[in-house]
Amino acid sequence: MNSNHLLLEEPIRMASILEPSRPSYFPAMTKIVGTLGPKSRSVEVISRCLMAGMSVARFDFTWGDAEFHQETLENLKIAIKKTKKLCAVMLDTTGPELLVVNKSEHPIPLEADSLVVLTPDQEKEATSNLLPINFGGLAKAVKSGDTIFLGQYLFTGSETTSVWLEVKEVKGDDVVCLIKNSAVLAGTLYTLHVSQIHIDLPTLPDKDKEVISTWGVKNNVDFLSLSHTRSGQDVRQAREYLSKLGDLSQTQIFAKIENVEGLVNFDEILQEADGIILARGNLGIDLPPEKVFLFQKAAVYKCNMAGKAAVVTRVVDSMTDNLRPTRAEATDVANAVLDGADAILLGAETMRGLYPVESISIVGKICGEAEKVYNQDSYFKKTVKYVGEPMSHMESIASSAVRAAIKVKASIIICFTSSGRAARLIAKYRPTMPVLSVVIPRLKTNQLRWTFTGAFEETYDFGGFYEKARQSLIIRGLFPMLADPRHPAETTSATNETVLKVALDHGKAIGVIKSHDRVVVCQKVGDDSVVKIIELED
């Protein structure tokens, strides 16, 4: 993995660009979040998505009922066992989302330069001149001259399925708008976005709370994607709600930034959240187009320095209907990786797109190529400088492990952890090789049954082949394996060696370690944290 590591700043032999990439067990260090839906919910398709590189499955509750998503999740579980590929579960909330209510589901043609009325009266039928919406406060929020965008949910931006409106006047609870371009609203779900206007709705409405407390608790979801996060208080309130649900107290909260309010309050949101999703669909409407790249680079940099996962969305929209991305989209994926993104999130491409597996595969290949020219040395120095001195004990160990691995050209870093924090800190320094996170659960008994505690709480099948430590599956370069819980977290030297042998055997089996390779190991021995270098024999 290190032998062909290049830098864009160095001269690149053009012919080498045409050389085929070497196959690898980990096609990319960058993770892929796939949204499962109508086109990607069978065991067969999900299995192919997992084999192509999907490591997090997103369940979007803006559409579809709990029963529909439960059936999909059961198929995911079967696919995981079938493929032996780990996959985490993300529940995506609806949030304060404004929708056009089209009960008849008939196509609605809208003509440029004509007027259309947005009304909160949901009993009225949707027509070319009248569109019912699910929010009664729009008339109080907007004024003449404001911009409103209407588009099919997870819209591709095509002018045939999305439309710009300009507010002309407010009449009671109705808003009269001028249609700026012709389009046909053909589908069951259309979102409405008011540019740079505060919508007085809770970030976590009752509908979302019901889904979380039922479906979320039942399935012990790994991540909560908090849509339309506008402040740090939004995250705190969501975390307080999760803490009351017991089983979800360790669920990580990823704040979706999709409007100017989230941008303005980004620093406080980042401090409260476990990770950030840059929802460039709505954000790209709220911001001037020329400003979107700047926010992406600034936001990803802040996430990197804080050691929190950054997820970028809306990268290969055209693959919803096409087998290949555009040149601009392919470049966009690569630039997200070069910016420092941990994961790429695919929405329409995998949910309702014609080529879900191909979308994941191509994005993974682009990520893998971009990682080869990622300037890790520059990033490492920048991160160390940002952390400053004196470093905390764990920061010092993590950065030392990465520095040692790069200096000796190690094939892999193996990190023993019970909470996952040590492994995440190592990944924060963006090593050029995979980090195998060996999660050792803390085992306790109440005399009736055995349970685990820790950030990677999972059920353990003593006779099965697959145990999961899923919350690292969204962090760039981090790949988990769950140790046998009969090796407790407070290990002795002898049991440490046993677990290390299991990890090395796993690395050999999947092809990331071979004879004479060097491996850096980060582990605790008693009260001491140790970084050691192992050279494998035949």
Side-chain angles (χ1 to χ4, degrees):
M1 183 167 285
N2 295 289
S3 60
N4 59 351
H5 191 82
L6 306 170
L7 289 180
L8 284 174
E9 293 84 352
E10 297 173 352
I12 296 177
R13 186 171 60 90
M14 285 299 176
S16 69
I17 295 173
L18 300 178
E19 293 173 2
S21 302
R22 295 178 182 176
S24 169
Y25 181 81
F26 302 122
M29 308 273 269
T30 307
K31 305 300 177 64
I32 298 176
V33 181
T35 305
L36 300 186
K39 298 290 186 181
S40 55
R41 64 190 305 258
S42 68
V43 173
E44 179 189 356
V45 174
I46 295 175
S47 297
R48 292 172 60 206
C49 287
L50 292 171
M51 295 302 294
M54 180 180 76
S55 64
V56 180
R58 172 175 171 256
F59 293 81
D60 191 345
F61 275 81
T62 301
W63 63 275
D65 57 24
E67 183 180 354
F68 177 91
H69 289 300
Q70 190 64 43
E71 289 175 2
T72 306
L73 180 56
E74 295 306 320
N75 287 344
L76 171 64
K77 292 176 183 177
I78 296 170
I80 289 171
K81 290 181 180 178
K82 179 181 176 183
T83 62
K84 302 184 183 180
K85 295 285 187 180
L86 305 183
C87 189
V89 174
M90 175 181 284
L91 191 165
D92 200 320
T93 65
T94 300
E97 187 137 61
L98 308 188
L99 302 172
V100 174
V101 180
N102 179 17
K103 293 181 179 179
S104 69
E105 299 185 8
H106 292 148
I108 306 168
L110 299 175
E111 292 295 327
D113 300 322
S114 60
L115 297 177
V116 65
V117 176
L118 304 180
T119 179
D121 187 349
Q122 298 183 35
E123 296 303 315
K124 292 185 177 178
E125 184 178 344
T127 68
S128 298
N129 309 113
L130 184 72
L131 296 177
I133 61 173
N134 67 339
F135 178 50
L138 185 65
K140 295 178 181 177
V142 300
K143 63 184 185 303
S144 178
D146 283 344
T147 300
I148 296 175
F149 182 83
L150 279 180
Q152 188 168 10
Y153 179 57
L154 293 176
F155 40 77
T156 61
S158 166
E159 291 307 320
T160 60
T161 60
S162 58
V163 63
W164 291 99
L165 306 175
E166 180 186 334
V167 176
K168 300 305 290 183
E169 63 175 318
V170 174
K171 289 185 175 180
D173 291 334
D174 294 345
V175 178
V176 181
C177 300
L178 176 68
I179 301 170
K180 305 293 283 185
N181 64 280
S182 297
V184 177
L185 306 186
T188 58
L189 197 58
Y190 276 83
T191 58
L192 181 149
H193 184 90
V194 188
S195 185
Q196 301 194 19
I197 297 294
H198 175 77
I199 298 301
D200 190 18
L201 287 171
T203 303
L204 197 63
D206 290 341
K207 178 184 176 184
D208 284 331
K209 288 182 178 179
E210 182 183 353
V211 167
I212 294 167
S213 63
T214 54
W215 194 89
V217 169
K218 176 182 178 181
N219 297 296
N220 196 22
V221 297
D222 303 292
F223 304 108
L224 179 72
S225 170
L226 190 61
S227 296
H228 300 275
T229 304
R230 295 170 285 190
S231 67
Q233 180 66 11
D234 286 345
V235 182
R236 287 191 292 271
Q237 288 175 347
R239 198 175 300 283
E240 183 180 346
Y241 182 71
L242 292 181
S243 67
K244 295 176 182 177
L245 298 176
D247 289 344
L248 296 189
S249 60
Q250 295 187 71
T251 295
Q252 292 190 351
I253 298 175
F254 274 57
K256 283 178 77 177
I257 309 299
E258 39 196 327
N259 51 42
V260 166
E261 285 180 89
L263 181 153
V264 171
N265 297 317
F266 185 84
D267 288 347
E268 68 171 61
I269 292 171
L270 177 62
Q271 186 174 352
E272 298 292 339
D274 297 298
I276 298 290
I277 298 174
L278 305 181
R280 301 190 308 172
N282 283 337
L283 191 63
I285 298 166
D286 231 27
L287 287 176
E290 66 273 18
K291 297 289 188 179
V292 176
F293 87 95
L294 196 57
F295 173 69
Q296 175 175 314
K297 289 181 180 296
V300 171
Y301 172 78
K302 286 175 178 284
C303 289
N304 289 167
M305 294 303 104
K308 295 187 178 182
V311 182
V312 175
T313 72
R314 305 301 299 271
V315 288
V316 288
D317 286 347
S318 71
M319 287 197 73
T320 304
D321 302 305
N322 298 289
L323 192 54
R324 286 169 61 92
T326 66
R327 277 74 61 196
E329 287 173 334
T331 304
D332 190 27
V333 174
N335 279 328
V337 174
L338 296 175
D339 285 345
D342 285 85
I344 301 295
L345 189 154
L346 301 177
E349 304 95 325
T350 55
M351 185 191 80
R352 60 177 175 84
L354 302 178
Y355 307 103
V357 178
E358 290 81 0
S359 297
I360 293 169
S361 177
I362 288 175
V363 166
K365 288 177 182 177
I366 297 169
C367 290
E369 289 297 320
E371 288 158 9
K372 292 178 184 177
V373 294
Y374 183 73
N375 194 330
Q376 194 280 338
D377 184 59
S378 172
Y379 174 85
F380 186 91
K381 291 175 181 175
K382 197 162 38 178
T383 309
V384 169
K385 183 179 179 181
Y386 182 88
V387 171
E389 295 179 355
M391 272 188 173
S392 70
H393 177 78
M394 289 189 71
E395 286 274 6
S396 178
I397 292 293
S399 58
S400 297
V402 174
R403 188 191 298 274
I406 291 171
K407 291 294 184 183
V408 304
K409 291 184 166 45
S411 297
I412 195 168
I413 299 173
I414 296 177
C415 177
F416 289 48
T417 179
S418 58
S419 68
R421 187 180 168 213
R424 289 195 296 270
L425 270 180
I426 291 174
K428 169 184 172 180
Y429 287 89
R430 292 287 189 262
T432 55
M433 65 290 296
V435 179
L436 187 62
S437 172
V438 183
V439 182
I440 308 174
R442 294 189 181 94
L443 193 60
K444 63 184 181 181
T445 181
N446 59 5
Q447 296 184 331
L448 295 176
R449 63 191 182 96
W450 292 94
T451 59
F452 307 142
T453 61
F456 297 87
E457 199 164 321
E458 298 294 338
T459 56
Y460 190 92
D461 177 6
F462 282 88
F465 60 79
Y466 99 103
E467 299 80 34
K468 305 190 292 288
R470 300 181 304 202
Q471 284 177 328
S472 59
L473 290 169
I474 203 167
I475 299 172
R476 181 158 153 183
L478 199 52
F479 300 91
M481 64 173 284
L482 191 65
D484 189 326
R486 290 165 290 191
H487 295 140
E490 293 74 21
T491 53
T492 64
S493 295
T495 54
N496 263 338
E497 292 305 315
T498 302
V499 177
L500 177 58
K501 184 180 184 307
V502 172
L504 291 172
D505 288 345
H506 177 67
K508 291 174 184 176
I510 63 177
V512 295
I513 307 173
K514 59 185 186 300
S515 298
H516 305 297
D517 276 0
R518 290 171 177 170
V519 175
V520 169
V521 181
C522 184
Q523 65 185 126
K524 289 205 85 171
V525 178
D527 294 330
D528 300 321
S529 297
V530 175
V531 174
K532 62 182 180 182
I533 301 166
I534 299 173
E535 186 159 346
L536 302 182
E537 299 176 352
D538 288 330

